[in-house]
């Protein structure tokens, strides 16, 4: 009898806390077009799979009348659940409670679930919707952020960490998402910046809206901070679920294998790539002609479009694709595309995902802006990432592969395991026009008709070097293959490298050109 | 699934882009690398890139947005290397700007108390 009463009390206590910030605050949240934190978690995880912890946590701040305020759950919900059966740890900041502001106990709840995710070796998903530091708690709030960042770094490369920005995420708070593997943003809802429009206006006199400063489009198309863009929260959750299906739970496992499926017949690999290396095409069609079910899940789709990265499956196994995109800037490597490719390669390497690289690039992008922006340093990231990666590396040179770009794009020299080239591949220091201009400078300058001579010499050079056989003769590529053989050979390559092991010198860590 | 639909849309627009490239050649941009002309599309960053201008020591630009709190020169004044130009208050710091070379002040585009954006031409020497 007495226990019944206690259970009654528990239910009552729960009910109160589950209301979050109360009806009025929830109405406001909905009016902003946002879901509440608890609804978000329920929408994201498998039905009835969410278990919440630390529901009864309370803050112990005393200054500024904080001792008189009750903040339910201290503005954050933590717990575990499953997505397609895969266990995940989740925290979701509750904007209805004190604007989701981060106090000491709020941070303690987050770090608790972070520690849990590391210990249990399962992915961590953080839903960010917070006004920032709880100013009343002063340096304790900052300490909380620091503890989160430290754990983000500790967890990095051990468990997948996913950040979902579903509201403001400003000031120091942005560094937690920045330290995680994938950042999801939603149109009109996500706002990320270090200093907001108000500060920018008072300090610098520049006026800008929140959306233009750090909205979803800005981060998925200009800054490159976000990896996945969507129009609605529901779409965003679908993307997260899809991503979870592609990646392993932790760095000791492989991603879950799916039943193998053939690519769709509408993608005919022989029809996609034009023979002339100066003509563009969409390299994503090549990926779709190769991947299971023609399913390609692109990462950072809107940023640095001159390289395409993302996940697909080959005979049911997850692979990472890194491909030059001739449709944009002729597929060159530049500051941003190097950054994008290198980071993705390191992700795949950390989580045991084989990397398939399709090469078709004229080299690095020339220009003062590129040199001054540090294309040397950024370009070196690609070399570093590929060299360091020990997962199976399979490379297909589709067409042109010139200069430093050829070396950087998972060449044999950076220890690619398999390098195939299509018959139209051109592997050379530079394109025939540029090369002929240099090698035959004298002949061209002294000829009666320099233009005619130049054309003749370009043709000569093309015949001699613009083919895959010079590189094949040195064993730099393993095989010249027909496009239609590509999938078969890649599948074979992945199969035989299932137990690949590489011995590297022991070191604390390398010094990549960050 | 919603996501599949979105992928489909993306495919369609890309195919359209290719058609434009094939049929109406002027739509496709040209990128020249090592003398070879590649037909391709530009991205936003490439389209918005700034043309390089070599720095000119006679043009005193604001290197950071801020407020001019003190101005030491006026138009027509002869100045020597090391002379004070103005004090710029930016990011809670007051910075003393000095001339890098001798010359005569051609124009002063600021006054005390004025807020200047980044890369604003504040003072010009002849």
């Amino acid at each position: 009898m007495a226990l019944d009463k206690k259970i009654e009390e528990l239910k009552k206590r729960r009910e109160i806390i589950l209301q979050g910030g109360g009806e009025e605050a929830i109405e406001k949240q909905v009016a902003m077009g946002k879901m509440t934190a608890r609804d978000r978690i329920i929408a994201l995880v498998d039905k009835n799979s969410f278990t919440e912890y630390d529901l009864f946590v309370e803050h112990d701040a005393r200054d500024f009348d904080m001792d008189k305020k009750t903040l339910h759950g201290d503005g954050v919900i933590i717990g575990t659940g499953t997505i397609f059966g895969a266990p995940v740890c989740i925290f979701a900041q509750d904007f209805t409670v004190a604007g989701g502001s981060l106090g000491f106990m709020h941070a303690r709840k987050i770090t608790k679930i972070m520690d849990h995710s590391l210990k249990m070796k399962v992915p961590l998903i953080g839903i960010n919707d917070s006004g920032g530091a709880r100013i009343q708690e002063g340096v304790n709030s900052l300490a909380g952020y620091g503890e989160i960042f430290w754990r983000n770094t500790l967890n990095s490369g051990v468990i997948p960490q996913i950040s979902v920005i579903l509201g403001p995420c400003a000031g120091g708070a942005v560094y937690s998402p920045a330290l995680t593997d994938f950042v999801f943003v939603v149109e009109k809802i996500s706002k990320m910046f270090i200093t907001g429009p108000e500060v920018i206006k008072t300090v610098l006199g520049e006026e800008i809206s929140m959306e233009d400063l750090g909205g979803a489009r800005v981060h998925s198309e200009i800054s490159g901070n976000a990896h996945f863009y969507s129009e609605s929260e529901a779409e965003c959750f679908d993307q997260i679920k899809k991503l979870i299906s592609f990646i392993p739970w932790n760095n000791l496992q492989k991603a879950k294998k799916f039943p193998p499926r053939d690519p769709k017949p509408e993608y005919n690999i022989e029809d996609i790539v034009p023979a002339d290396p100066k003509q563009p095409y969409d390299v994503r069609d090549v990926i779709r002609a190769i991947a299971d079910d023609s399913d390609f899940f692109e990462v950072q789709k809107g940023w640095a479009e001159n390289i395409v990265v993302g996940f697909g499956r080959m005979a049911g196994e997850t692979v990472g694709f890194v491909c030059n995109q001739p449709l944009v800037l002729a597929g060159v490597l530049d500051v941003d595309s190097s950054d994008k490719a290198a980071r993705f390669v390191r992700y795949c390497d950390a989580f045991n995902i084989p990397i398939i690289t399709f090469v078709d690039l004229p080299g690095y992008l020339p220009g003062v802006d590129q040199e001054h922006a540090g294309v040397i340093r950024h370009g070196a990231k690609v070399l570093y990432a590929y060299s360091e990666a020990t997962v199976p590396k399979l490379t297909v040179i589709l067409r042109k592969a010139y200069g430093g770009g050829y070396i950087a794009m998972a060449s044999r020299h950076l220890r690619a395991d398999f390098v195939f080239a299509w018959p139209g591949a051109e592997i050379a220091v530079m394109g025939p026009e540029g090369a002929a201009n240099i090698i035959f400078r004298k002949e061209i300058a002294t000829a009666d008709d320099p233009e005619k001579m130049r054309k003749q010499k370009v043709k000569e050079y093309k015949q001699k070097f613009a083919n895959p056989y010079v590189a094949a003769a040195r064993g730099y590529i393993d095989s010249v293959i027909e496009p239609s053989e590509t999938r078969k050979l890649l599948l074979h390559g992945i199969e035989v490298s299932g137990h690949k092991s590489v011995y590297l010198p022991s070191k604390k860590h390398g010094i990549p050109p960050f | 699934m919603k996501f599949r639909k979105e992928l489909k849309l993306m495919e369609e627009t890309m195919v359209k882009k290719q058609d434009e490239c094939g049929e109406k050649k002027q739509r496709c941009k040209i990128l020249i690398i090592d003398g070879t002309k590649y037909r391709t599309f530009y991205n936003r960053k490439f389209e918005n890139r700034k043309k390089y201008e070599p720095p000119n020591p006679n043009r005193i630009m604001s290197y950071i947005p801020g407020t001019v709190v003190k101005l030491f020169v006026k138009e027509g004044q002869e100045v020597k290397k090391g002379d004070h130009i103005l004090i710029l208050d930016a990011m809670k710091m007051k910075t003393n700007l000095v001339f890098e070379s001798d010359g005569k002040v051609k124009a002063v585009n600021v006054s005390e108390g004025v807020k200047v954006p980044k890369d604003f031409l504040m003072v010009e020497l002849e």
Side-chain angles (χ1 to χ4, degrees), chain A residues 317-328:
Chain A
E317 185 178 339
T318 297
V319 293
F321 285 100
V322 180
C323 313
N324 306 118
Q325 171 62 295
L327 200 62
V328 181

PDB file of all heavy atoms in Angstrom, chain A residues 317-328:
ATOM      1  N   GLU A 317      28.806  -4.255 -48.587  1.00  0.00           N
ATOM      2  CA  GLU A 317      29.743  -3.661 -47.639  1.00  0.00           C
ATOM      3  C   GLU A 317      29.857  -2.149 -47.876  1.00  0.00           C
ATOM      4  O   GLU A 317      29.950  -1.697 -49.020  1.00  0.00           O
ATOM      5  CB  GLU A 317      31.131  -4.302 -47.799  1.00  0.00           C
ATOM      6  CG  GLU A 317      32.101  -3.807 -46.754  1.00  0.00           C
ATOM      7  CD  GLU A 317      33.477  -4.459 -46.844  1.00  0.00           C
ATOM      8  OE1 GLU A 317      33.584  -5.548 -47.439  1.00  0.00           O
ATOM      9  OE2 GLU A 317      34.436  -3.870 -46.342  1.00  0.00           O
ATOM     10  N   THR A 318      29.873  -1.374 -46.778  1.00  0.00           N
ATOM     11  CA  THR A 318      29.997   0.079 -46.915  1.00  0.00           C
ATOM     12  C   THR A 318      31.368   0.451 -47.464  1.00  0.00           C
ATOM     13  O   THR A 318      32.393  -0.061 -47.002  1.00  0.00           O
ATOM     14  CB  THR A 318      29.818   0.755 -45.549  1.00  0.00           C
ATOM     15  OG1 THR A 318      28.503   0.500 -45.084  1.00  0.00           O
ATOM     16  CG2 THR A 318      30.016   2.272 -45.651  1.00  0.00           C
ATOM     17  N   VAL A 319      31.390   1.339 -48.454  1.00  0.00           N
ATOM     18  CA  VAL A 319      32.649   1.902 -48.945  1.00  0.00           C
ATOM     19  C   VAL A 319      32.518   3.424 -48.985  1.00  0.00           C
ATOM     20  O   VAL A 319      31.407   3.957 -49.074  1.00  0.00           O
ATOM     21  CB  VAL A 319      33.018   1.387 -50.362  1.00  0.00           C
ATOM     22  CG1 VAL A 319      33.326  -0.091 -50.339  1.00  0.00           C
ATOM     23  CG2 VAL A 319      31.919   1.703 -51.365  1.00  0.00           C
ATOM     24  N   GLY A 320      33.646   4.100 -48.923  1.00  0.00           N
ATOM     25  CA  GLY A 320      33.658   5.549 -49.082  1.00  0.00           C
ATOM     26  C   GLY A 320      34.123   5.882 -50.484  1.00  0.00           C
ATOM     27  O   GLY A 320      35.109   5.299 -50.962  1.00  0.00           O
ATOM     28  N   PHE A 321      33.415   6.771 -51.154  1.00  0.00           N
ATOM     29  CA  PHE A 321      33.829   7.204 -52.486  1.00  0.00           C
ATOM     30  C   PHE A 321      34.448   8.593 -52.399  1.00  0.00           C
ATOM     31  O   PHE A 321      33.896   9.482 -51.745  1.00  0.00           O
ATOM     32  CB  PHE A 321      32.628   7.267 -53.434  1.00  0.00           C
ATOM     33  CG  PHE A 321      32.139   5.922 -53.892  1.00  0.00           C
ATOM     34  CD1 PHE A 321      31.028   5.326 -53.301  1.00  0.00           C
ATOM     35  CD2 PHE A 321      32.789   5.248 -54.912  1.00  0.00           C
ATOM     36  CE1 PHE A 321      30.575   4.088 -53.708  1.00  0.00           C
ATOM     37  CE2 PHE A 321      32.342   4.007 -55.344  1.00  0.00           C
ATOM     38  CZ  PHE A 321      31.232   3.423 -54.742  1.00  0.00           C
ATOM     39  N   VAL A 322      35.587   8.769 -53.056  1.00  0.00           N
ATOM     40  CA  VAL A 322      36.204  10.090 -53.173  1.00  0.00           C
ATOM     41  C   VAL A 322      36.485  10.285 -54.660  1.00  0.00           C
ATOM     42  O   VAL A 322      37.261   9.525 -55.241  1.00  0.00           O
ATOM     43  CB  VAL A 322      37.517  10.176 -52.374  1.00  0.00           C
ATOM     44  CG1 VAL A 322      38.138  11.563 -52.511  1.00  0.00           C
ATOM     45  CG2 VAL A 322      37.283   9.848 -50.907  1.00  0.00           C
ATOM     46  N   CYS A 323      35.828  11.267 -55.268  1.00  0.00           N
ATOM     47  CA  CYS A 323      35.903  11.365 -56.726  1.00  0.00           C
ATOM     48  C   CYS A 323      36.009  12.812 -57.177  1.00  0.00           C
ATOM     49  O   CYS A 323      35.253  13.669 -56.727  1.00  0.00           O
ATOM     50  CB  CYS A 323      34.641  10.781 -57.352  1.00  0.00           C
ATOM     51  SG  CYS A 323      34.162   9.197 -56.672  1.00  0.00           S
ATOM     52  N   ASN A 324      36.918  13.067 -58.099  1.00  0.00           N
ATOM     53  CA  ASN A 324      36.969  14.386 -58.724  1.00  0.00           C
ATOM     54  C   ASN A 324      35.685  14.577 -59.525  1.00  0.00           C
ATOM     55  O   ASN A 324      35.192  13.638 -60.137  1.00  0.00           O
ATOM     56  CB  ASN A 324      38.178  14.497 -59.668  1.00  0.00           C
ATOM     57  CG  ASN A 324      39.477  14.148 -58.981  1.00  0.00           C
ATOM     58  OD1 ASN A 324      40.169  13.203 -59.353  1.00  0.00           O
ATOM     59  ND2 ASN A 324      39.807  14.910 -57.956  1.00  0.00           N
ATOM     60  N   GLN A 325      35.187  15.820 -59.541  1.00  0.00           N
ATOM     61  CA  GLN A 325      33.927  16.111 -60.232  1.00  0.00           C
ATOM     62  C   GLN A 325      34.195  17.046 -61.408  1.00  0.00           C
ATOM     63  O   GLN A 325      34.234  18.273 -61.240  1.00  0.00           O
ATOM     64  CB  GLN A 325      32.952  16.748 -59.236  1.00  0.00           C
ATOM     65  CG  GLN A 325      31.678  17.309 -59.818  1.00  0.00           C
ATOM     66  CD  GLN A 325      30.805  16.279 -60.491  1.00  0.00           C
ATOM     67  OE1 GLN A 325      31.185  15.694 -61.509  1.00  0.00           O
ATOM     68  NE2 GLN A 325      29.626  16.046 -59.948  1.00  0.00           N
ATOM     69  N   PRO A 326      34.363  16.499 -62.630  1.00  0.00           N
ATOM     70  CA  PRO A 326      34.682  17.363 -63.787  1.00  0.00           C
ATOM     71  C   PRO A 326      33.588  18.377 -64.106  1.00  0.00           C
ATOM     72  O   PRO A 326      33.841  19.346 -64.819  1.00  0.00           O
ATOM     73  CB  PRO A 326      34.838  16.363 -64.940  1.00  0.00           C
ATOM     74  CG  PRO A 326      35.153  15.071 -64.269  1.00  0.00           C
ATOM     75  CD  PRO A 326      34.387  15.081 -62.988  1.00  0.00           C
ATOM     76  N   LEU A 327      32.390  18.175 -63.557  1.00  0.00           N
ATOM     77  CA  LEU A 327      31.288  19.098 -63.827  1.00  0.00           C
ATOM     78  C   LEU A 327      31.533  20.468 -63.198  1.00  0.00           C
ATOM     79  O   LEU A 327      31.032  21.475 -63.663  1.00  0.00           O
ATOM     80  CB  LEU A 327      29.995  18.499 -63.260  1.00  0.00           C
ATOM     81  CG  LEU A 327      28.675  19.020 -63.792  1.00  0.00           C
ATOM     82  CD1 LEU A 327      28.548  18.747 -65.267  1.00  0.00           C
ATOM     83  CD2 LEU A 327      27.515  18.395 -63.029  1.00  0.00           C
ATOM     84  N   VAL A 328      32.306  20.517 -62.109  1.00  0.00           N
ATOM     85  CA  VAL A 328      32.571  21.784 -61.424  1.00  0.00           C
ATOM     86  C   VAL A 328      34.077  22.046 -61.395  1.00  0.00           C
ATOM     87  O   VAL A 328      34.843  21.200 -60.925  1.00  0.00           O
ATOM     88  CB  VAL A 328      32.005  21.766 -59.986  1.00  0.00           C
ATOM     89  CG1 VAL A 328      32.263  23.096 -59.291  1.00  0.00           C
ATOM     90  CG2 VAL A 328      30.524  21.442 -59.985  1.00  0.00           C
TER      91      VAL A 328
END
